[in-house]
Amino acid sequence: MTSLHPNAPAALAEPVTRVSAPWIGSFATVWFAIWMAQLTPVQLLLPAQIDATLHPENWIDSVVAFGVISGIAAVATIIAYPLTGAASDRTTSRFGRRRPWILIGALVFALSLVVLGLQTEIWAIGAAWVAASVGFCIMTAALTATISDQVPVGQRGFVSGWMSAPQAVGIIVGLVLVTELVTDQALGYLLLAITLVVLAVPFLMRYDQPLAAAERTRVTAKGVLASLWISPRTHPDFGWTLLSRVLVSVGNALGTSLLLYFLMFGLGDENAEEDLIILTLVYMVFVITASLVGGRLSDRLGRRKSFVFAASALQAVAAVLLALVPDLTVAIIAAGILGLGYGCFLSVDQALATQVLPDAASRGKDLGIMNIATAVPQAVGPLIGAGAVVLTGSFALVFVLSAVCALAGAIAVSRVRSVR
């Protein structure tokens, strides 16, 4: 890690100097590794591992087990995100506030993935995935706070695009690696873990402004717990942004997290794993394009809400298509529309979130709470979707719920007043 810089601004100051291309490159690289390590298990390895472990007579049992494990992981995420974000806010290490926690998170995440790949019982699979989810939270709570710490407002849409664009690349590269490069499940998890740690190194080598002792708030258990509540009456724009993110993220999770099961059991696709890669590739292209173009355009126009609103509406359209026409060709088209909407949402909404934070001294904690609104839906989505499948015996209701959530999220963001 690099040493202290003598002319660096105070840690709590609003950043005004634009971050460099190498900074953005290392930031994008670590996010690529994170998304690959988190989403490849969600999309393929974890549901396949659960199905292979259970060998259920009824395929719905496998969907329910995946949903329950994801739901338990969601509870752990709700606890881990704000607490670890608050811890990084108060860290006075000479290496900075965020880097120590990025490193800790990477190691916890990677080790948990390795352990997960070795499990052959459902309870152990669930426990290892919960541990991996906590590592993911520790790492990303600190990383997202670096945007508010180091990136000026006029550059946040574009930089946030480099946080979201690697998500799509990470999924497709991860799927290809674990299906083409390795054939053993445990080796797949191990490969993801090694890649995560190695690709985190470039960002860990970059400078991180340390927190001066005088800037550090006093830490008490009561104070930390009290700080986890941000009143929507006192900070309505934070509340509306948080609600919008929850709704849109639930909608996206419902539209994507059960795709493997949808192909296998909803469409009776004999080549489900191969077709999942095709769907993900289409999704990837549109997510990358929309996140980078949408983020930069929102910076130039100085507008956030209209982009978030349009992105949410596009996701609703994609979900309706999947509900009304359960067909592989339509699913590919819907994947493109969903990627277009979600890519734009990810970059612009992240920039919007950094502009409605209540206090500079608690950026990590507040963005940790915001991150709950992204991560928890990814975990809860399969559980809600599993319930819809149990009720109806099909996937139509899953996609209808996805559309409703996305539209509700668009309405919520329209209520933000302090950001255009």
Side-chain angles (χ1 to χ4, degrees), residues 227-242:
S227 72
L228 300 182
W229 168 251
I230 298 176
S231 171
R233 288 177 177 245
T234 307
H235 304 285
D237 285 352
F238 184 90
W240 286 118
T241 303
L242 181 67

Side-chain angles (χ1 to χ4, degrees), residues 276-299:
L276 177 64
I277 293 177
I278 294 174
L279 287 176
T280 307
L281 180 61
V282 172
Y283 178 79
M284 175 193 76
V285 171
F286 283 92
V287 165
I288 294 172
T289 303
S291 60
L292 296 180
V293 174
R296 170 156 286 187
L297 190 57
S298 76
D299 284 339

Side-chain angles (χ1 to χ4, degrees), residues 81 140-141 144 163 245 350 367-376:
Y81 252 138
T140 56
T144 51
M163 170 181 160
R245 182 176 288 198
Q350 182 62 36
L367 283 172
I369 294 172
M370 273 293 176
N371 288 339
I372 290 174
T374 300
V376 170

Side-chain angles (χ1 to χ4, degrees), residues 30-80:
V30 68
W31 276 108
F32 162 76
I34 289 169
W35 292 130
M36 182 168 65
Q38 200 255 350
L39 295 177
T40 304
V42 170
Q43 291 289 331
L44 178 60
L45 288 179
L46 189 57
Q49 184 179 12
I50 290 170
D51 192 62
T53 301
L54 288 179
H55 296 294
E57 294 183 5
N58 189 333
W59 60 268
I60 292 179
D61 293 339
S62 182
V63 178
V64 171
F66 177 54
V68 170
I69 289 174
S70 298
I72 296 171
V75 174
T77 297
I78 291 172
I79 298 169

Side-chain angles (χ1 to χ4, degrees), residues 138-398:
I138 296 170
M139 192 176 185
T140 56
L143 264 173
T144 51
T146 63
I147 298 177
S148 293
D149 290 345
Q150 301 186 41
V151 182
V153 170
Q155 205 180 7
R156 286 181 189 172
F158 180 65
V159 171
S160 295
W162 285 108
M163 170 181 160
S164 53
Q167 180 177 131
V169 183
I171 297 174
I172 192 67
V173 172
L175 289 175
V176 170
L177 287 179
V178 301
T179 56
E180 302 297 331
L181 192 62
V182 297
T183 55
D184 182 77
Q185 170 187 285
L187 287 178
Y189 280 116
L190 176 62
L191 184 60
L192 294 177
I194 293 172
T195 303
L196 174 69
V197 174
V198 170
L199 295 187
V201 171
F203 193 80
L204 287 170
M205 298 301 294
R206 305 207 68 81
Y207 178 75
D208 180 17
Q209 172 66 45
L211 184 70
E215 295 176 310
R216 185 175 186 265
T217 58
R218 183 169 175 266
V219 181
T220 65
K222 182 179 179 180
V224 170
L225 291 175
S227 72
L228 300 182
W229 168 251
I230 298 176
S231 171
R233 288 177 177 245
T234 307
H235 304 285
D237 285 352
F238 184 90
W240 286 118
T241 303
L242 181 67
L243 178 60
S244 172
R245 182 176 288 198
V246 168
L247 291 168
V248 174
S249 296
V250 168
N252 183 263
L254 286 168
T256 60
S257 62
L258 297 181
L259 276 180
L260 179 62
Y261 289 123
F262 172 65
L263 293 173
M264 291 170 61
F265 306 119
L267 300 183
D269 188 350
E270 295 181 355
N271 301 306
E273 291 191 4
E274 291 80 2
D275 289 335
L276 177 64
I277 293 177
I278 294 174
L279 287 176
T280 307
L281 180 61
V282 172
Y283 178 79
M284 175 193 76
V285 171
F286 283 92
V287 165
I288 294 172
T289 303
S291 60
L292 296 180
V293 174
R296 170 156 286 187
L297 190 57
S298 76
D299 284 339
R300 290 183 176 179
L301 296 177
R303 292 182 176 274
R304 309 292 190 199
K305 290 197 304 181
S306 56
F307 284 87
V308 175
F309 190 93
S312 304
L314 283 172
Q315 291 180 79
V317 170
V320 169
L321 280 177
L322 288 170
L324 296 180
V325 190
D327 175 79
L328 181 59
T329 301
V330 173
I332 293 173
I333 295 172
I337 298 173
L338 186 65
L340 187 64
Y342 198 53
C344 182
F345 176 83
L346 284 172
S347 60
V348 181
D349 184 70
Q350 182 62 36
L352 172 64
T354 65
Q355 293 177 243
V356 297
L357 299 180
D359 185 2
S362 59
R363 291 166 179 158
K365 182 265 297 179
D366 296 339
L367 283 172
I369 294 172
M370 273 293 176
N371 288 339
I372 290 174
T374 300
V376 170
Q378 292 294 334
V380 173
L383 183 59
I384 298 173
V389 170
V390 169
L391 285 174
T392 63
S394 74
F395 291 85
L397 181 57
V398 175

